[in-house]
């Protein structure tokens, strides 16, 4: 769809109010990708007015700047990151060759977060994408905390006891995780003591609940880590903190929200824990060299019939028509599972009590005082993840984890094709396809010239996540990147950008097929 006509469609929706609960929303923003309707999941849309808006003229897009290719590259590559796993990790050859990630903001600032880490006390690698709403606070907390909860949940009983003994004796702790972070990935130093104390309480309880020879189950570890961290986020907000900054911070985390999609990879064992509408997809290489998509997670949205049945089954029949309205939870929230979002979890009495004892900034904020309509039998929302398992095979070449901003712009099969062709260079050999479009000779010549340029542009992007992002934002109807479209999308003014595109976060991990083949042979011998 042309940029101008797409803008007309978006401008039929009214401007939304921005929550002042989260000061991080008022920072300067970079520009980001297209969206197709996910804006409604943001609680800043709680006060949606479905009348038409005349706030902007469509000429705003026509006045957007045409960026030069170096300027486009500078924007696209600003947050890219790559990590290559050493060939030998001290135990065995890793099943993960490495990963590449990137982020492209649309919100001011970006509300998505990403995390990647290697488990040091146990085996495996953790990769995660966190999509925040009503600000970045909850997603930020998840990016710092969730992997620690997972890593602790995976520790055997004796290692947990060693951790506790070290703390009691005042000794330095052995590292649990090796983080792989971009310099822009923020850590909130002020909250580290609070976070550590909550984590320590969790492992103390695990010590009491586990036995000496108990080997943690990965499925249970992921499930317990998600649920416990969401519980701690809620409890910390209820208890508060003597430090005024931390008191305000824990309330910001609890009253904002975030979805999470996390992968744990250990040898052939791939687990996905998902709560919300981020998604993980596997790229499978067929015998003819082409790639097909294998979905590893389910979106928790109104398009998921099982999820709709689950929610309706948890509330009285009298709420059947109100618990999901206009494809949103209570008519407001698009993801049906999320961390934080205590306005959909706490009783009305608890919300009022916490807000009355909270800092003055909360009293001035309409979002925190707003009670969702038809709010009778909370909680309506959960952070309990849906966990899927997949045994990796030699033909499983890579995995893409992305926030919903990616999947709204590209179909999963297109995502896998773009990444697969980038990683193998296959796009240089495939026949040119134009689908059902009728093209002139001039258009065909342009497509052939663009394809020729792509041979060199493959070297332009040294990061597969950046390459995918370029397509997500700049693809035309023929599935090729249109520089003019890409430039316009990246140069939209801040007040227009979020109206029809979302933050995009991508992590692409490459697998080592030789490891799977060797492990399979060992298992058969």
């Amino acid at each position: 769809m042309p940029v101008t006509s797409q803008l007309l469609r978006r401008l039929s929706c009214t401007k939304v109010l921005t929550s002042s609960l989260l000061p991080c929303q008022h920072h300067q923003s970079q520009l980001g990708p297209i969206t197709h309707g996910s804006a409604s999941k943001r609680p800043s849309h709680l006060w949606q007015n479905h009348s038409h808006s005349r706030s902007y003229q469509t000429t705003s897009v026509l006045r957007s700047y045409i960026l030069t290719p170096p300027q486009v590259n500078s924007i696209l590559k600003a947050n890219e990151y790559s990590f290559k796993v050493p060939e030998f990790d001290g135990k065995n050859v890793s099943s993960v060759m490495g990963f590449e990630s990137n982020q492209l903001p649309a919100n001011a600032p970006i509300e998505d977060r990403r995390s990647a880490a290697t488990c040091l006390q146990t085996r495996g690698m953790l990769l995660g994408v966190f999509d925040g709403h009503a600000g970045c606070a909850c997603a930020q907390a998840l990016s710092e905390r969730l992997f620690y909860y997972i890593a602790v949940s995976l520790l055997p009983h004796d290692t947990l006891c060693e951790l506790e003994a070290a703390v009691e004796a005042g000794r330095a702790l052995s590292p649990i995780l090796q983080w792989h972070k971009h310099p822009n990935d923020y850590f909130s130093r002020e909250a580290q003591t609070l976070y550590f104390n909550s984590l320590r309480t969790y492992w103390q309880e695990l010590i009491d609940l586990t036995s000496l020879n108990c080997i943690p189950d990965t499925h249970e570890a992921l499930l317990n880590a998600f649920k416990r961290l969401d519980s701690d986020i809620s409890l910390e907000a209820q208890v508060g903190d003597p430090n005024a900054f931390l008191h305000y911070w824990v309330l910001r985390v609890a009253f904002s929200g975030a979805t999470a999609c996390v992968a744990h990879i250990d040898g052939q064992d791939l687990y996905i824990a998902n709560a919300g509408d981020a998604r993980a997809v596997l790229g499978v290489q067929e015998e003819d060299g082409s790639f097909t998509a294998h979905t590893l997670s389910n979106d928790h949205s109104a398009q998921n019939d099982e999820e709709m049945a689950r929610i309706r089954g948890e509330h009285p029949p009298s709420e059947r028509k109100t618990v999901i309205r206009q494809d949103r939870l209570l008519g407001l929230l698009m993801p049906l599972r999320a961390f934080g979002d205590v306005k959909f979890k706490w009783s009305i009495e608890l919300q009022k009590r916490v807000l009355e004892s909270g800092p003055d900034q909360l009293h001035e904020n309409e979002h925190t005082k707003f009670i969702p309509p038809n709010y009778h039998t909370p909680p309506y929302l959960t952070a309990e993840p849906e966990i899927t398992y997949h045994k990796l095979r030699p033909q499983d070449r890579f995995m893409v984890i992305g926030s919903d901003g990616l999947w709204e712009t590209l179909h999963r099969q297109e995502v896998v094709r773009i990444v697969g062709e980038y990683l193998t260079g296959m796009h240089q050999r495939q026949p040119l396809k134009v689908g059902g479009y009728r093209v002139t000779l001039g258009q065909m010549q342009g497509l052939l010239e663009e394809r020729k340029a792509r041979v060199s542009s493959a070297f332009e992007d040294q990061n597969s996540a950046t390459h995918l992002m370029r397509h997500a934002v700049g693809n035309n109807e023929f599935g090729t990147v249109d520089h003019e479209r890409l430039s316009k999308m990246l140069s939209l003014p801040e007040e227009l950008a979020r109206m029809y595109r979302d933050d995009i976060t991508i992590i692409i991990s490459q697998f080592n097929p030789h490891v799977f083949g060797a492990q399979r042979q060992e298992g058969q011998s």
Side-chain angles (χ1 to χ4, degrees):
M1 184 182 295
V3 172
T4 303
S5 60
Q6 205 175 71
L7 178 64
L8 283 170
R9 181 166 66 99
R10 285 289 168 184
L11 289 179
S12 65
C13 297
T14 202
K15 268 179 69 178
V16 298
L17 301 178
T18 302
S19 168
S20 61
L21 173 62
L22 306 175
C24 60
Q25 289 182 325
H26 305 307
H27 297 178
Q28 292 300 308
S29 125
Q30 298 178 53
L31 296 175
I34 310 170
T35 186
H36 296 294
S38 77
S40 55
K41 88 174 186 182
R42 302 285 192 263
S44 56
H45 285 59
L46 291 177
W47 308 274
Q48 288 196 43
N49 178 344
H50 297 285
S51 62
H52 293 286
S53 168
R54 304 183 186 275
S55 302
Y56 299 104
Q57 300 297 320
T58 58
T59 52
S60 299
V61 168
L62 301 179
R63 292 173 183 168
S64 62
Y65 299 103
I66 300 298
L67 303 172
T68 65
Q71 289 173 323
V72 167
N73 288 340
S74 178
I75 294 172
L76 289 178
K77 297 182 179 184
N79 296 309
E80 67 178 16
Y81 179 82
S82 63
F83 174 77
K84 185 176 180 180
V85 176
E87 185 174 353
F88 296 96
D89 61 8
K91 299 175 184 175
N92 54 17
V93 178
S94 174
S95 59
V96 180
M97 297 171 63
F99 72 88
E100 295 174 328
S101 69
N102 204 346
Q103 293 187 295
L104 191 63
N107 288 287
I110 187 171
E111 293 178 342
D112 283 5
R113 293 294 186 271
R114 59 183 165 177
S115 290
T118 300
C119 297
L120 297 178
Q121 300 288 336
T122 56
R123 299 177 1 148
M125 175 174 282
L126 289 163
L127 304 169
V129 167
F130 313 103
D131 187 352
H133 44 263
C136 58
C138 189
Q140 176 63 41
L142 297 189
S143 71
E144 299 181 43
R145 306 181 69 181
L146 183 55
F147 284 10
Y148 279 117
Y149 278 69
I150 295 172
V152 163
S153 300
L154 289 168
L155 292 177
H157 181 87
D158 56 345
T159 307
L160 290 170
C161 292
E162 290 171 7
L163 275 178
E164 180 60 21
V167 176
E168 285 287 342
R171 299 194 307 268
L173 297 179
S174 299
I176 298 174
L177 296 171
Q178 177 190 356
W179 291 96
H180 312 298
K181 284 192 169 287
H182 187 280
N184 291 348
D185 294 341
Y186 173 71
F187 258 70
S188 53
R189 298 181 183 278
E190 300 86 352
Q192 292 308 303
T193 300
L194 170 69
Y195 291 171
F196 177 80
N197 289 337
S198 293
L199 182 67
R200 184 186 179 190
T201 300
Y202 178 45
W203 83 51
Q204 289 172 336
E205 293 179 15
L206 288 176
I207 290 173
D208 294 337
L209 293 172
T210 59
S211 58
L212 185 61
N213 298 318
C214 177
I215 300 175
D217 175 76
T218 304
H219 183 285
E220 287 299 312
L222 291 166
L223 182 70
N224 293 336
F226 270 62
K227 293 169 66 175
R228 179 54 181 251
L229 176 55
D230 193 53
S231 174
D232 282 354
I233 287 172
S234 175
L235 183 61
E236 289 161 1
Q238 294 175 51
V239 173
D241 195 280
N243 180 294
F245 172 82
L246 284 179
H247 190 183
Y248 186 42
W249 173 251
V250 295
L251 289 169
R252 287 174 59 191
V253 171
F255 276 89
S256 60
T259 66
C261 187
V262 171
H264 180 268
I265 313 160
D266 179 12
Q268 291 178 286
D269 299 323
L270 169 60
Y271 286 87
I272 301 292
N274 184 54
D277 51 12
R279 190 182 299 171
V281 171
L282 198 64
V284 182
Q285 189 166 29
E286 304 297 340
E287 291 184 0
D288 64 358
S290 64
F291 288 88
T292 56
H294 176 76
T295 303
L296 295 167
S297 62
N298 298 310
D299 295 355
H300 299 129
S301 66
Q303 283 66 52
N304 184 331
D305 292 339
E306 292 184 3
E307 192 70 359
M308 294 281 283
R310 177 189 67 81
I311 291 177
R312 285 176 173 150
E314 292 175 351
H315 300 277
S318 59
E319 295 187 59
R320 182 174 179 82
K321 293 183 178 180
T322 59
V323 69
I324 302 290
R325 295 180 60 243
Q326 299 177 329
D327 290 343
R328 300 171 183 86
L329 186 65
L330 299 178
L332 302 173
L333 192 66
M334 185 166 282
L336 302 182
R337 301 192 194 192
F339 285 83
D341 283 322
V342 294
K343 296 200 71 61
F344 297 89
K345 298 174 180 176
W346 289 354
S347 67
I348 294 176
E349 293 74 18
L350 178 58
Q351 292 186 42
K352 289 181 178 178
R353 178 175 64 79
V354 171
L355 292 175
E356 286 172 0
S357 61
D360 293 339
Q361 296 99 311
L362 293 176
H363 303 158
E364 302 165 2
N365 183 266
E366 292 300 322
H367 168 61
T368 55
K369 292 185 288 186
F370 177 81
I371 301 297
N374 304 300
Y375 197 80
H376 306 301
T377 56
Y380 289 89
L381 191 65
T382 179
E384 180 173 333
E386 183 176 6
I387 299 172
T388 55
Y389 171 77
H390 178 80
K391 187 173 184 178
L392 290 168
R393 307 158 298 175
Q395 62 266 40
D396 299 332
R397 305 308 295 270
F398 60 87
M399 176 180 62
V400 180
I401 307 176
S403 58
D404 64 340
L406 170 66
W407 309 109
E408 289 161 355
T409 61
L410 292 173
H411 187 272
R412 62 182 180 274
Q413 183 57 46
E414 185 72 356
V415 166
V416 165
R417 181 193 66 80
I418 291 168
V419 175
E421 291 181 359
Y422 170 84
L423 294 175
T424 61
M426 274 184 56
H427 64 272
Q428 301 170 29
R429 306 190 298 271
Q430 295 294 314
L432 185 64
K433 296 179 182 179
V434 294
Y437 293 99
R438 301 175 65 179
V439 297
T440 65
L441 286 175
Q443 288 174 319
M444 181 61 75
Q445 180 182 2
L447 288 171
L448 289 169
E449 290 176 350
E450 191 278 336
R451 178 182 179 144
K452 182 180 179 181
R454 266 199 292 169
V455 176
S456 60
S457 73
F459 298 99
E460 182 177 272
D461 290 328
Q462 303 299 316
N463 182 300
S464 57
T466 302
H467 184 73
L468 179 57
M469 198 166 284
R470 188 183 300 273
H471 278 266
V473 182
N475 257 19
N476 59 21
E477 60 268 34
F478 302 114
T480 60
V481 175
D482 182 326
H483 175 74
E484 184 177 352
R485 174 186 174 84
L486 180 61
S487 174
K488 285 183 176 180
M489 295 307 298
L490 293 178
S491 60
L492 283 171
E494 184 177 302
E495 66 272 15
L496 290 180
R498 185 57 189 87
M499 295 184 71
Y500 65 111
R501 67 175 189 247
D502 197 0
D503 299 331
I504 293 182
T505 298
I506 300 168
I507 300 177
I508 300 174
S509 57
Q510 282 186 261
F511 300 125
N512 187 347
H514 304 297
V515 171
F516 307 143
Q519 290 177 343
R520 178 163 298 182
Q521 290 175 359
E522 289 175 5
Q524 294 173 348
S525 60

